[in-house]
């Protein structure tokens, strides 16, 4: 530590440069990560807010709840198990005073568990078939409380009675309403009772025409979700690897330049581990200051982004990324540490 | 008679095999006592550096024995040798003696970081710094010092650990005549006043007048000059 601090102090320019480069990379990683999670949440946050364990829908829907139609009979038998709830989901358009909004309508039964899990931010949950509660991102002048809107094919005017947090599904804001309203909004006959059944616990065994999905399977079936996650994951992974390579190159060049001095120190009896520990410590200082500055800048940038850009900062994930950057940085010291351990102290005497 | 600090007995060092074999040292014997300056003088390629690395425990001889403070260097592990170099040997080299990003004061503090045995007494060290004329430079970095000043700091650094023996490799290579005399005098003082054994390897005959004894080395053969 003794050598590391003094070296960084003397060589501010060099270390400043490498910290800047690693900082920019970690900045990019943090911003990308927040964007990725923001997008992911727009897909899944509603499902996550229900805290379900499994879901059952028709086989023909291929995991896309909006395409699934359960008959009255199927719904009744699926409801038999405790902790079941029937939901009617349909993508639709919400209209009011010339404004149009693409939304996901989700109809709920009044006395089933999903309704108890919704997080009402203001107002209340719908109690009648012509009442709705909408996602908080719609809580603005165009969709004020107590006003009425039209939904999809239904002729009814629905009254906004409240706003619900974490109500986004498949990249659209969710409008929660009564299950009875679902069929008319979707424009299907009354023979159908809903789209899918969700369960607090494992789903019961189902006949061949139906399929049982775990929550993770349900989320992964969302159109584009897996591809999106993989794309961001790859970008973040590459950036972390690039930062490791930069660290390695930098530490390698620095160590090469110091080799004659390090050889003298070895000849003078300064142990190898002292010099190795020093290099590790230097790397730690570089990565940590880069991560702290990059993280700070990223948070600043993210808060300044307009609301239309979905962003989500997850502290556990951020911590994990910081740890990842630190570990890969330390991995980058393998090369210089090998260089140091191969120094022949006898080489200092000669000329 | 002061005690023998270093004893070299019948040391031979060969590099390579067969046709390419080089005999860098041939049956070299010598001894160094406390409070004396021993000069090893010889032309280029005669084996001076080889001898010094063997004396400092940086290389092992092919044959023969080196004893420092009556301890057989070949019987020691790498770790023991490292500790020996840290505690008992002060190296003064031609170049790169100083860590470029440490101030003069920190060059000494670095020794404290790794060395467990006590260093030279503070009073004595102050006297050494004053004698070397570097008291006012303790906050400077090596790149802010002249060649002669650097060499004096290197001497102070070597003395700081309170070694038994100083091994100097061409300490005057980069210096003009005036500085050569200065360094020669300092080495003699260190031997006579601090009671260190001082071994200087050089091809600089100007240092001869400061030596108590001189060995000559030619083609790996060592002999004492009378
Ligand atoms: N590692 C080595 N491998 C092979 N030969 C070596 C090695 N080190 C030294 N030699 C040879 O041993 C001989 C003595 O070399 P040494 O470096 O000790 O000479 P020197 O007296 O220090 O010369 P100079 O004054 O030029 O520094 C030379 O012929 C040299 O080529
Ligand atoms: Mg030499």
């Amino acid at each position: 530590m003794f050598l590391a601090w003094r070296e960084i102090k003397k060589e501010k320019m060099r270390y400043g440069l490498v910290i800047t480069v690693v900082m920019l990379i970690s900045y990019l990683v943090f911003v990308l990560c927040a964007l990725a999670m923001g997008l992911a949440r727009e897909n899944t946050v509603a499902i996550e807010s229900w805290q379900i364990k499994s879901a059952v829908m028709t086989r023909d829907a291929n995991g896309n709840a909006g395409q699934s139609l359960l008959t009255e009979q199927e719904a009744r038998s699926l409801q038999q198990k405790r902790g079941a709830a029937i939901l009617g989901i349909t993508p639709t358009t919400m209209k009011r005073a010339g404004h149009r909004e693409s939304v996901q309508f989700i109809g709920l039964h009044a006395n089933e568990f999903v309704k108890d899990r919704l997080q009402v931010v203001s107002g209340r949950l719908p109690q009648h078939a012509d009442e709705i509660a909408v996602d908080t991102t719609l809580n603005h002048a165009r969709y004020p409380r107590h006003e009425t809107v039209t939904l999809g094919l239904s002729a009814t005017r629905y009254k906004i009675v409240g706003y619900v947090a974490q109500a986004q599904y498949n990249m659209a804001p969710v409008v929660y309403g009564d299950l009875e309203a679902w069929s008319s909004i979707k424009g299907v006959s009354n023979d159908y009772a809903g789209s899918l059944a969700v369960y607090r616990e494992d789903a019961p065994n189902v006949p061949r025409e139906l399929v049982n999905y775990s929550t993770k399977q349900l989320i992964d079936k969302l159109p584009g979700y897996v591809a999106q996650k993989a794309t961001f994951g790859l970008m973040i992974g590459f950036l972390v690897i690039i930062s490791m390579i930069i660290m390695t190159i930098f530490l390698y060049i620095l160590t090469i330049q110091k080799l004659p001095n390090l050889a003298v120190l070895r000849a003078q009896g300064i142990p190898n581990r002292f010099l190795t520990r020093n290099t590790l410590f230097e790397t730690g200082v570089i990565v940590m200051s880069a991560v702290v500055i990059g993280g700070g800048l990223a948070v600043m940038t993210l808060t300044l982004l307009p609301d239309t850009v979905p962003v989500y900062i997850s502290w556990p994930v951020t911590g994990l990324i910081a740890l990842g950057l630190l570990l890969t940085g330390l991995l980058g010291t393998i090369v210089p540490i090998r260089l140091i351990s191969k120094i022949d102290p006898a080489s200092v005497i000669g000329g | 008679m002061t005690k023998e600090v270093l004893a070299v007995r019948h040391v031979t060092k060969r590099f390579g095999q067969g046709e390419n074999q080089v005999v860098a040292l041939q049956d070299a014997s010598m001894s160094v006592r406390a409070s004396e300056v021993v000069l090893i003088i010889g032309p280029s390629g005669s084996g001076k550096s080889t001898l010094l690395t063997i004396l400092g425990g940086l290389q092992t001889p092919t044959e023969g024995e080196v004893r420092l403070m009556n301890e057989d260097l070949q019987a020691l592990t790498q770790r023991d040798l490292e500790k020996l170099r840290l505690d008992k040997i002060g190296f003064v080299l031609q170049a790169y003696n100083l860590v470029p990003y440490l101030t003069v004061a920190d060059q000494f503090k670095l020794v404290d970081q790794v060395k467990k045995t006590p260093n030279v007494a503070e009073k004595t060290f102050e006297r050494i710094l004053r004698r070397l004329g570097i008291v006012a430079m303790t906050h400077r970095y090596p790149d802010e010092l002249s060649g002669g000043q650097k060499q004096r700091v290197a001497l102070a650094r070597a003395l700081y650990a309170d070694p038994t023996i100083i091994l100097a490799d061409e300490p005057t290579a980069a210096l003009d005549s005036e500085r050569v005399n200065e360094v020669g005098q300092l080495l003699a003082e260190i031997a006579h006043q601090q009671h260190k054994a001082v071994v200087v390897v050089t091809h600089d005959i100007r240092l001869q007048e400061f030596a108590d004894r001189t060995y000559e080395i030619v083609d790996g053969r060592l002999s004492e000059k009378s």
Side-chain angles (χ1 to χ4, degrees):
Chain A
M1 288 58 340
F2 177 88
L3 280 177
W5 281 125
R6 281 162 181 78
E7 183 173 4
I8 292 169
K9 199 177 133 207
K10 178 92 200 294
E11 307 285 356
K12 287 187 194 75
M13 185 71 187
R14 284 178 185 193
Y15 283 90
L17 274 174
V18 75
I19 287 174
T20 307
V21 174
V22 177
M23 182 273 281
L24 287 174
I25 291 175
S26 50
Y27 168 81
L28 210 58
V29 169
F30 286 131
V31 170
L32 271 178
C33 186
L35 288 174
M37 295 201 58
L39 273 178
R41 276 173 62 90
E42 287 210 338
N43 260 319
T44 63
V45 69
I47 296 176
E48 279 159 10
S49 76
W50 306 336
Q51 300 167 45
I52 58 171
K53 212 168 163 193
S54 52
V56 173
M57 66 181 85
T58 59
R59 187 171 293 278
D60 291 342
N62 189 30
N64 182 354
Q67 295 292 330
S68 173
L69 291 171
L70 298 177
T71 61
E72 282 281 2
Q73 201 184 348
E74 284 167 335
R76 222 172 297 127
S77 82
L78 287 170
Q79 265 172 307
Q80 300 280 301
K81 191 175 156 130
R82 265 173 57 90
I86 301 291
L87 307 180
I89 298 184
T90 181
T92 186
T93 308
M94 178 163 78
K95 280 180 277 188
R96 178 185 166 262
H99 299 299
R100 283 175 169 73
E101 200 81 37
S102 290
V103 298
Q104 289 278 350
F105 178 84
I106 299 181
L108 311 166
H109 257 315
N111 45 11
E112 284 172 344
F113 79 96
V114 169
K115 209 166 174 181
D116 305 329
R117 302 229 158 129
L118 301 184
Q119 297 168 32
V120 180
V121 175
S122 64
R124 59 175 174 80
L125 288 174
Q127 281 157 2
H128 303 286
D130 63 349
E131 289 180 345
I132 53 171
V134 301
D135 178 33
T136 43
T137 60
L138 296 175
N139 184 4
H140 46 62
R142 270 177 285 171
Y143 301 101
R145 188 136 63 102
H146 308 309
E147 290 298 317
T148 58
V149 299
T150 61
L151 286 167
L153 301 170
S154 170
T156 319
R157 291 200 70 87
Y158 296 90
K159 188 169 157 199
I160 300 172
V161 296
Y163 299 95
V164 179
Q166 306 200 348
Q168 279 159 331
Y169 171 77
N170 206 352
M171 308 303 291
V174 169
V175 171
Y176 285 110
D178 197 280
L179 189 53
E180 269 177 43
W182 165 78
S183 53
S184 55
I185 291 169
K186 190 172 171 68
V188 293
S189 85
N190 279 328
D191 298 343
Y192 295 109
S195 307
L196 79 167
V198 295
Y199 295 89
R200 265 191 303 229
E201 303 299 330
D202 289 326
N205 290 331
V206 293
R208 248 204 66 78
E209 317 84 69
L210 302 180
V211 186
N212 172 8
Y213 294 105
S214 69
T215 310
K216 184 181 178 313
Q217 286 170 328
L218 188 67
I219 287 173
D220 284 348
K221 278 281 188 182
L222 290 170
Y225 178 76
V226 173
Q228 193 186 81
K229 235 173 53 173
T231 306
F232 275 105
L234 268 178
M235 283 201 274
I236 291 168
F238 277 134
L239 282 172
V240 171
I241 291 170
I242 289 172
S243 94
M244 177 180 85
I245 294 172
I246 289 176
M247 293 284 295
T248 307
I249 294 174
F250 171 79
L251 289 166
Y252 176 77
I253 294 173
L254 249 157
T255 310
I256 289 272
Q257 286 177 340
K258 289 191 292 189
L259 235 37
N261 287 298
L262 295 174
V264 169
L265 292 178
R266 298 277 289 112
Q268 286 171 341
I270 309 261
N272 200 11
R273 10 175 237 300
F274 181 82
L275 302 176
T276 306
R277 243 189 291 141
N278 216 60
T279 304
L280 283 175
F281 185 78
E282 265 170 19
T283 312
V285 171
I286 292 171
V287 179
M288 281 204 255
S289 33
V291 163
V292 168
I293 301 170
L297 286 178
V299 170
M300 262 166 58
T301 311
L302 293 169
T303 49
L304 290 178
L305 282 177
D307 285 345
T308 46
V309 183
V311 155
Y312 181 72
I313 302 172
S314 152
W315 295 114
V317 171
T318 306
L320 219 65
I321 288 178
L323 195 74
L325 283 167
L326 184 65
L327 288 181
T328 46
L330 293 178
L331 219 63
T333 56
I334 288 179
V335 174
I337 282 175
R338 271 181 63 88
L339 272 180
I340 293 173
S341 64
K342 282 200 172 142
I343 289 174
D344 176 15
S347 66
V348 302
I349 293 171
Chain B
M1 196 69 197
T2 45
K3 67 174 172 187
E4 186 176 57
V5 171
L6 181 73
V8 178
R9 292 194 195 113
H10 309 294
V11 164
T12 295
K13 179 73 182 178
R14 283 186 283 268
F15 292 107
Q17 297 283 321
E19 266 179 48
N20 300 322
Q21 198 174 63
V22 180
V23 183
L25 277 180
Q26 179 77 54
D27 195 23
S29 294
M30 65 179 287
S31 79
V32 184
R33 283 182 288 274
S35 307
E36 69 171 353
V37 177
V38 169
L39 204 64
I40 297 165
I41 209 156
S44 183
S46 56
K48 301 185 296 295
S49 297
T50 306
L51 178 60
L52 200 69
T53 51
I54 289 174
L55 299 188
L58 299 170
Q59 270 192 92
T60 49
T62 319
E63 285 163 29
E65 181 187 61
V66 180
R67 288 181 165 270
L68 186 67
M69 308 287 291
N70 214 13
E71 202 157 14
D72 184 359
L73 294 192
Q74 271 169 281
L76 297 179
T77 63
Q78 275 306 318
R79 211 171 234 201
D80 290 337
L81 278 172
E82 220 163 57
K83 195 167 148 25
L84 184 90
R85 294 203 297 268
L86 191 61
D87 295 346
K88 299 279 163 48
I89 303 176
F91 282 100
V92 180
L93 308 168
Q94 233 180 87
Y96 300 114
N97 273 301
L98 306 176
V99 184
Y101 43 85
L102 295 184
T103 62
V104 170
D106 283 339
Q107 309 276 344
F108 307 133
K109 272 192 212 146
L110 174 61
V111 179
D112 297 333
Q113 292 288 313
V114 280
K115 190 163 171 262
K116 292 179 184 75
T117 52
N119 295 313
V120 73
E122 210 174 309
K123 278 262 162 58
T124 319
F125 191 58
E126 266 169 35
R127 211 171 53 235
I128 293 170
L129 289 183
R130 221 168 309 124
R131 173 61 194 92
L132 291 170
I134 49 175
V135 178
M137 299 167 192
T138 49
H139 293 293
R140 291 210 208 156
Y141 286 99
D143 60 10
E144 298 162 346
L145 300 173
S146 75
Q149 288 167 340
K150 270 187 227 171
Q151 217 42 315
R152 282 182 273 160
V153 173
L155 255 177
R157 154 72 182 79
L159 289 168
Y160 180 70
D162 201 17
T164 348
I165 186 165
I166 299 274
L167 298 179
D169 179 37
E170 308 267 13
T172 56
L175 306 180
D176 58 32
S177 292
E178 209 176 310
R179 295 283 171 223
V180 171
N181 283 335
E182 200 178 301
V183 170
Q185 261 165 18
L186 280 169
L187 290 170
E189 268 181 46
I190 286 161
H192 302 148
Q193 288 169 19
Q194 317 273 333
H195 309 293
K196 310 288 180 202
V198 177
V199 178
V200 182
V201 153
T202 189
H203 59 246
D204 191 343
I205 48 167
R206 293 171 297 180
L207 280 174
Q208 235 169 320
E209 59 176 294
F210 304 99
D212 297 298
R213 287 188 297 128
T214 303
Y215 285 90
E216 237 175 351
I217 183 165
V218 178
D219 284 342
R221 288 170 199 282
L222 193 65
S223 57
E224 185 164 2
K225 257 171 85 169
S226 46

